[in-house]
Amino acid sequence: MESLTSRMQGVQSPIIPVVGELIKNSPGTISLGQGVVHYNPPPEAIEFLPKFFADPANNLYKSVEGIPPLLTALAGKLQAFNGIEINEENCIVVTAGSNMGFMNAILAITNPGDEIILNTPYYFNHEMAIAMAGCRPVLVATDENYQLRPNAIAQAITPKTRAIVTISPNNPTGVVYSEAALRQVNQICDTNGIYHISDEAYEYFTYNGVKHVSPGAFGSRKYTISLFSLSKAYGFASWRIGYMVIPKHLFVAIKKVQDTILICPPVISQYAALGALQAKEEYLQSNIGAISQVRQLVLDSLNRLQGLCSITPANGAFYFFLKVNTQMDAFELVKRLIQEHKVAVIPGTTFGMDDGCYLRVAYGALQKETAKEGIERLVQGLETIVRN
C-alpha cells in the first residue's frame, strides 16, 4: 500500500521527547534540557479553583478570547509591568500557552508561501509552526553575542515577508535584546507594513539590573503582536495559559483560528491564572532570585571550559548557549553526555545552528544542589569527550 504523505513530513520532530527517551534509558541522568522552572504555582492559583467549581455554568463553553475577569486582570498587569495600554486600537486574547498564540498569529497574517523572518538561533516551535502553515522561515544570523542585527534583518525583507519575530529574553541563548535594537526592528516593521511578533515568555527573568522591554509599549501598535505566558514565571507549564496583545484589526481572524482549534482556553486554568496574578510580589522575587543564584553557580562552572567552549554573556531567561570547539555532531555529543556522563542538554541543530557544535544548557528546573551536580557532570563530560 502506498504510504500517505502530508505537509508534516517537512516539519522537524520536537527534540524534547527524543532527549527524554534517551534520559529514560539512562536512569539517574540529570536533565539540563527542558525549559521549565523548579517551583510550583502560587497558592493563590489553587485558592481560586473553588470559585470555578461554585458556578455550574463554568462547565459550558466561554468566550473565545477569555473570561472577562482574567482579561481585566491582564490589562492591569500589561499597563503596570509592560507599559502597554489596552485601548480601542488593540485587545487581549487568552490562549492555551504562548505557542498557541504564535500559531494563531501566523495563521491570521499569512497565506501559504509567505515568509517570516526568524533570528538564529531560533526557537524550534516557531520554525515548526511556520512550516506547518505552509510558509517559509527566512533565517537571519544574530551577531557573535547573539544580539539582533537590524540592518541584516531589513535586507532580508521581500515582497512575501509578513513578519519579523523577536524573542527577548531569548530562548535558546538567554540574551536580552537592547531597547535600541528592538525599536529599530519595530520601526522596520512599521515602515514596511509587516508585523513584529514579540515573544516575551521570559519577561520576568532578567539579571544584573537588566530591564525587560516590551515593543508593544513603543507607540505604534498597528503592526505589533506581543506574546506572553504564565508557564515560566508562575510555574504554570501544564496549566497551558498564555495570552496575546494584538492589533484590533486581527481580532476576527484570530478568533476564527482559536475557535477552530480550541473553542475557548480551559476555563479552570483561566481561574487558576486569575488567582496567580493576585500573588504577592515576593512570590516572583524569591523564586526568580533562587534561579539567579543557580545561574551564577552554573556560570562559574562553565567558565572552567574557556578554550573548550565559547560562552556568551546572557542576562535573561534560564539558558546558556555554548559553542563547543569540536567537529563532533551536536546530537552525537548529547547522546554521549547522557549515556556516559548522565547529564542531558539540547543540541543546537534544533535551533537552526548547523555551522558548528552548539548546546543549550537550561538551569531553571533545578534546585541549587542538583544544578551543581548536573553542571559538574556536564563540565567533566565535555572535558573528557571533546579533549579525547
Side-chain angles (χ1 to χ4, degrees):
M1 179 180 171
E2 189 177 332
S3 63
L4 296 172
T5 59
S6 82
R7 70 181 70 196
M8 301 309 294
Q9 287 188 310
V11 177
Q12 69 161 305
S13 295
I15 192 66
I16 299 294
V18 175
V19 172
E21 193 63 27
L22 290 170
I23 293 171
K24 195 169 112 182
N25 294 331
S26 186
T29 295
I30 294 175
S31 177
L32 300 168
Q34 196 160 21
V36 293
V37 295
H38 68 267
Y39 56 87
N40 293 322
E44 290 87 346
I46 310 305
E47 289 164 7
F48 257 65
L49 295 184
K51 296 178 187 293
F52 167 82
F53 292 116
D55 184 351
N58 280 332
N59 293 325
L60 304 174
Y61 295 130
K62 298 297 178 182
S63 299
V64 175
E65 66 270 27
I67 59 174
L70 181 56
L71 294 172
T72 299
L74 291 171
K77 174 266 176 186
L78 287 161
Q79 178 81 67
F81 185 79
N82 305 95
I84 297 174
E85 180 189 357
I86 301 302
N87 53 33
E88 66 281 350
E89 296 176 4
N90 61 9
C91 59
I92 302 168
V93 175
V94 180
T95 59
S98 61
N99 270 9
M100 181 171 190
F102 186 83
M103 192 83 218
N104 283 354
I106 295 300
L107 290 173
I109 67 174
T110 64
N111 289 309
D114 284 344
E115 297 174 351
I116 305 291
I117 293 175
L118 297 180
N119 298 282
T120 56
Y122 53 63
Y123 171 46
F124 55 86
N125 281 138
H126 286 175
E127 190 268 346
M128 292 167 69
I130 292 163
M132 286 179 196
C135 296
R136 191 172 81 87
V138 173
L139 308 183
V140 176
T142 48
D143 70 14
E144 65 276 8
N145 290 316
Y146 302 125
Q147 290 289 336
L148 297 172
R149 296 163 57 232
N151 291 339
I153 292 170
Q155 289 169 10
I157 294 171
T158 75
K160 290 193 168 186
T161 305
R162 293 294 170 265
I164 298 167
V165 180
T166 61
I167 311 169
S168 182
N170 188 261
N171 177 11
T173 65
V175 304
V176 180
Y177 297 148
S178 71
E179 179 174 347
L182 287 170
R183 282 187 180 275
Q184 269 187 275
V185 170
N186 201 251
Q187 185 58 55
I188 289 166
C189 292
D190 201 45
T191 302
N192 288 275
I194 59 179
Y195 292 94
H196 181 179
I197 302 177
S198 173
D199 186 327
E200 303 174 40
Y202 298 89
E203 58 185 328
Y204 291 105
F205 296 88
T206 57
Y207 315 102
N208 297 326
V210 172
K211 299 294 184 189
H212 173 67
V213 177
S214 292
F218 291 163
S220 174
R221 299 188 179 97
K222 187 176 179 183
Y223 294 108
T224 305
I225 298 170
S226 306
L227 307 179
F228 302 94
S229 174
L230 272 72
S231 292
K232 313 302 180 185
Y234 289 96
F236 249 59
S238 72
W239 290 87
R240 307 313 306 138
I241 292 291
Y243 53 104
M244 323 168 65
V245 179
I246 59 171
K248 206 60 167 282
H249 64 259
L250 288 178
F251 186 52
V252 171
I254 282 175
K255 279 182 76 172
K256 288 179 184 177
V257 179
Q258 182 138 304
D259 186 69
T260 301
I261 296 173
L262 185 67
I263 298 182
C264 66
V267 178
I268 190 169
S269 295
Q270 291 189 70
Y271 270 77
L274 187 55
L277 292 172
Q278 319 299 316
K280 296 180 177 64
E281 275 188 36
E282 289 80 5
Y283 170 79
L284 291 177
Q285 288 172 351
S286 63
N287 283 309
I288 294 173
I291 287 179
S292 179
Q293 291 178 16
V294 171
R295 173 187 175 277
Q296 192 57 52
L297 182 152
V298 169
L299 188 56
D300 291 344
S301 294
L302 289 177
N303 281 332
R304 288 162 38 202
L305 294 171
Q306 297 288 353
L308 194 67
C309 296
S310 300
I311 302 148
T312 299
N315 286 312
F318 33 75
Y319 306 111
F320 289 111
F321 200 66
L322 311 184
K323 183 175 185 182
V324 187
N325 299 324
T326 178
Q327 299 299 311
M328 278 187 74
D329 173 76
F331 185 64
E332 187 58 35
L333 178 55
V334 167
K335 281 204 294 190
R336 287 190 60 184
L337 284 167
I338 293 170
Q339 292 164 354
E340 298 170 21
H341 296 274
K342 294 196 180 299
V343 62
V345 289
I346 302 295
T349 44
T350 300
F351 307 98
M353 299 298 278
D354 298 315
D355 63 336
C357 183
Y358 297 84
L359 303 174
R360 188 189 76 174
V361 179
Y363 54 86
L366 303 176
Q367 304 274 11
K368 194 182 277 189
E369 286 311 307
T370 314
K372 189 172 184 181
E373 173 63 23
I375 207 69
E376 281 299 313
R377 292 183 191 182
L378 178 63
V379 169
Q380 290 174 14
L382 287 172
E383 287 177 333
T384 302
I385 295 168
V386 177
R387 288 217 161 102
N388 293 340

